[in-house]
Amino acid sequence: MTAGSNLKTQAGASAPAIEFVEVSKVYDGKIAVARIDHAFDRGRVHALMGKNGSGKSTLVKILSGAVEPTLGYVKINGERRQLATPRDAFAAGIITVHQELSLVPSLSVAENIYLGRMPKKSVFGASVVDWAAVNALAAALLREMGLDIDPRKLVSELSVGQQQIIEIAKAMSFEPRILLLDEPTSALASREVEQLFNLIRRLRDRGVTMVYITHRMNELFEIADTCTVIRDGHYIGGVEMAETTPAQIIEMMFGDIAKAKRPTRKSITRHKSILSVRNLSREGAFEDISFDLYPGEILGFAGLLGSGRTEILKSIFGADPYDRGTIEFDGRAISAPKPRTMKKLGLGYTPENRKEAGLVQMLSSHDNLCLASLSRISSGGVITRSVEEPFVRQQISDLAIKVPDAMLPVSSLSGGNQQKIVIGNWLNTSPKVIFFDEPSRGVDVQARQQIFEIIWRQAAQGLACVFVSSELEELLEVADRIIVLKGGRQVATADPVATDLTELYRMCMEGADQ
């Protein structure tokens, strides 16, 4: 093992579960990862950390057989393996659980676990599915993993957290030796995260090696045994979680971080707020949230998993109830907000889950750009393509949406262009305020920058924005002011110009104000 592989071997003289040997990957002349030498020991949870574009996704793709390294090779349990395809990775005992769920909602838990390989029996000479055997196998697997879930239950009836756990159960049905977990908690509530962590610990105790991809710092010290950091395609270091601190990991991830760079904008006039929230509370989600939002301001919400960011936005928008507190929009007290009412007043909301909550995938880009504004652009209650066309054309032009044909299903577009469709849909309502909840999730670097430029441009024209992101560096780059949340409470207010990334992480984790 090379000097770069500095984690302690926990399995005695046995070979590491995974070893990268001088691995490099080049795309069109651009280096994604450069000469990675590192090993992951068996039967442990290895966190893989790095900011967006660091190269960690490329390493995972190499392990999963999605891409081949340009140089170097990979050893699995001491044996050099060619992982040219996902089938090769599967044969090597490697299974990937992706961030995007791949379950079929209309099928049962058991059907999803054994889809394509369900046991059969002969009935009158015909081969049919042995449903009793399918359910029995699934029940045994779930029981072995310590899961109390009915295998006959439809996946559509499960929570997102339970669905994520079924994804892992499905992977474990193949009896992998190595499990790659890609952002498994990104859409989970705190109670669901703990259930998932209990499952991960159980798998570790059974000897499964896990590579855990995340950017949520608070999870590392609860679930990971080691942390490996990649920065700008290079291996920076590997540390034992018991021997490190959040500050050390942040330093490895980002190096010497300069203050966030944002375009020069005129100062915000904070005389009369467009949105005023006082002591907003919902039991189990958030408590005593108070803030004012001003025209042309970009207000950031920072916080780790379970901090209540999305829950607050949904309650203000009227999608979820709240227990107490007051909301005032453009000088008008709102006693019982509903999405229809808030939209009519001038509030737009781009949700964090664009595929399910922000778009209708089977409809065209044209239709999706008009959904929120139908009442505004209709003529006497009548909707026609010719009436909608100017609104569609304007957003495609203004937002630089790459769409070959606006009448094709929106599902045919890239993640970045889909996100622009979501934003354009709400801009067509001529809003006064927009909530941007994780607008850069799942988009490439170029689309991310374009989305930020859209937000800056709209703010410069007077639109008030609330910007939520799990990527703290994005908040420093985009926002004018940042409210820090921890456990559903406001714990700090940060000035992006005067705050660096390390300090913002500290605020989110420790709840200390400046």
Side-chain angles (χ1 to χ4, degrees):
M1 197 180 303
T2 65
S5 302
N6 60 352
L7 295 181
K8 298 175 183 177
T9 299
Q10 302 297 314
S14 62
I18 305 164
E19 186 174 0
F20 292 102
V21 180
E22 294 288 310
V23 169
S24 298
K25 181 62 181 178
V26 180
Y27 292 103
D28 298 324
K30 182 179 180 181
I31 298 175
V33 293
R35 300 177 69 86
I36 299 293
D37 266 313
H38 187 60
F40 296 99
D41 293 324
R42 300 185 189 189
R44 310 190 79 196
V45 179
H46 303 279
L48 183 58
M49 296 285 285
K51 62 182 180 180
N52 284 346
S54 63
K56 64 180 186 295
S57 294
T58 300
L59 283 184
V60 171
K61 288 178 180 178
I62 290 172
L63 274 180
S64 66
V67 301
E68 289 188 87
T70 306
L71 296 172
Y73 57 91
V74 178
K75 287 184 177 181
I76 303 297
N77 296 314
E79 179 185 354
R80 180 171 174 171
R81 301 294 294 254
Q82 183 178 10
L83 306 176
T85 67
R87 184 183 295 273
D88 294 334
F90 180 82
I94 303 171
I95 298 288
T96 305
V97 177
H98 297 283
Q99 181 178 356
E100 298 286 346
L101 298 176
S102 61
L103 303 177
V104 181
S106 59
L107 298 183
S108 70
V109 169
E111 288 174 292
N112 271 279
I113 291 175
Y114 292 104
L115 189 62
R117 53 197 176 102
M118 289 188 279
K120 303 289 182 65
K121 65 180 180 179
S122 179
V123 177
F124 301 115
S127 179
V128 299
V129 174
D130 187 344
W131 291 110
V134 172
N135 291 325
L137 283 171
L141 174 66
L142 295 171
R143 187 167 52 251
E144 184 182 4
M145 296 174 67
L147 302 175
D148 184 20
I149 298 176
D150 186 346
R152 296 165 298 182
K153 196 169 188 177
L154 293 180
V155 163
S156 60
E157 298 174 0
L158 303 179
S159 69
V160 175
Q162 289 175 315
Q163 290 181 31
Q164 183 69 74
I165 284 171
I166 295 304
E167 284 276 16
I168 296 177
K170 179 179 179 179
M172 290 307 300
S173 72
F174 294 99
E175 299 184 354
R177 290 177 289 179
I178 297 169
L179 197 59
L180 309 181
L181 299 170
D182 185 7
E183 297 283 0
T185 63
S186 62
L188 305 190
S190 55
R191 65 183 180 278
E192 295 172 326
V193 171
E194 186 54 39
Q195 186 180 16
L196 176 63
F197 283 178
N198 287 337
L199 175 57
I200 290 174
R201 295 184 187 104
R202 185 181 291 264
L203 297 179
R204 176 179 57 193
D205 292 343
R206 290 175 54 185
V208 178
T209 302
M210 283 166 278
V211 178
Y212 187 92
I213 299 93
T214 185
H215 58 252
R216 300 182 189 278
M217 183 69 67
N218 61 322
E219 295 179 359
L220 299 188
F221 292 86
E222 186 172 353
I223 195 60
D225 298 306
T226 76
C227 179
T228 299
V229 177
I230 305 296
R231 186 172 77 224
D232 298 329
H234 295 272
Y235 170 80
I236 299 301
V239 294
E240 296 284 333
M241 295 307 303
E243 301 172 0
T244 191
T245 65
Q248 288 174 329
I249 294 176
I250 293 169
E251 173 64 24
M252 291 168 67
M253 288 173 61
F254 299 98
D256 295 326
I257 297 294
K259 295 293 188 294
K261 296 179 180 179
R262 295 175 294 144
T264 302
R265 295 175 52 222
K266 64 180 181 180
S267 59
I268 308 300
T269 302
R270 294 187 171 91
H271 294 320
K272 182 181 178 182
S273 64
I274 185 70
L275 174 64
S276 182
V277 175
R278 290 291 178 272
N279 306 116
L280 202 68
S281 301
R282 189 174 93 211
E283 186 175 356
F286 53 85
E287 186 173 356
D288 289 330
I289 302 300
S290 298
F291 65 88
D292 290 300
L293 176 67
Y294 298 90
E297 181 181 33
I298 303 173
L299 176 63
F301 276 12
L304 303 175
L305 187 70
S307 62
R309 302 164 308 176
T310 295
E311 290 81 0
I312 293 167
L313 298 191
K314 292 176 73 173
S315 288
I316 296 171
F317 188 63
D320 286 341
Y322 59 90
D323 300 326
R324 63 183 183 277
T326 62
I327 299 172
E328 189 175 284
F329 191 92
D330 201 14
R332 174 179 170 179
I334 310 298
S335 57
K338 299 293 182 185
R340 183 186 298 271
T341 302
M342 301 308 287
K343 183 182 75 169
K344 188 174 181 180
L345 289 173
L347 176 59
Y349 183 17
T350 70
E352 61 176 336
N353 187 345
R354 64 174 173 270
K355 288 191 174 182
E356 294 183 11
L359 297 167
V360 180
Q361 293 288 323
M362 68 178 65
L363 294 183
S364 66
S365 296
H366 176 112
D367 290 336
N368 274 279
L369 280 168
C370 299
L371 288 176
S373 57
L374 289 176
S375 59
R376 172 174 176 253
I377 66 179
S378 63
S379 177
V382 177
I383 300 296
T384 65
R385 297 293 188 198
S386 60
V387 170
E388 294 172 333
E389 179 61 30
F391 295 89
V392 172
R393 188 168 57 248
Q394 180 180 350
Q395 296 305 332
I396 289 177
S397 174
D398 290 352
L399 306 185
I401 303 172
K402 293 183 179 179
V403 49
D405 184 344
M407 301 311 298
L408 292 175
V410 73
S411 58
S412 65
L413 300 183
S414 67
N417 283 298
Q418 287 190 27
Q419 186 65 59
K420 291 180 187 179
I421 295 284
V422 175
I423 295 172
N425 178 39
W426 283 104
L427 290 179
N428 269 331
T429 67
S430 294
K432 299 174 183 177
V433 177
I434 286 190
F435 293 165
F436 293 97
D437 195 353
E438 300 281 7
S440 66
R441 175 175 288 173
V443 306
D444 61 33
V445 174
Q446 182 180 15
R448 167 186 173 275
Q449 190 61 34
Q450 289 172 339
I451 289 168
F452 293 168
E453 289 170 356
I454 290 167
I455 295 173
W456 287 323
R457 186 166 66 246
Q458 293 297 321
Q461 296 172 7
L463 181 68
C465 308
V466 174
F467 179 83
V468 171
S469 177
S470 298
E471 303 284 355
L472 298 186
E473 62 267 38
E474 292 185 358
L475 289 163
L476 292 172
E477 182 180 357
V478 175
D480 300 305
R481 181 167 53 107
I482 299 172
I483 291 175
V484 181
L485 302 165
K486 183 175 187 290
R489 288 178 173 271
Q490 291 173 246
V491 296
T493 300
D495 176 0
V497 176
T499 306
D500 64 21
L501 188 61
T502 302
E503 178 66 8
L504 187 57
Y505 260 111
R506 187 190 65 79
M507 290 180 184
C508 291
M509 295 186 69
E510 300 176 7
D513 209 338
Q514 295 193 103

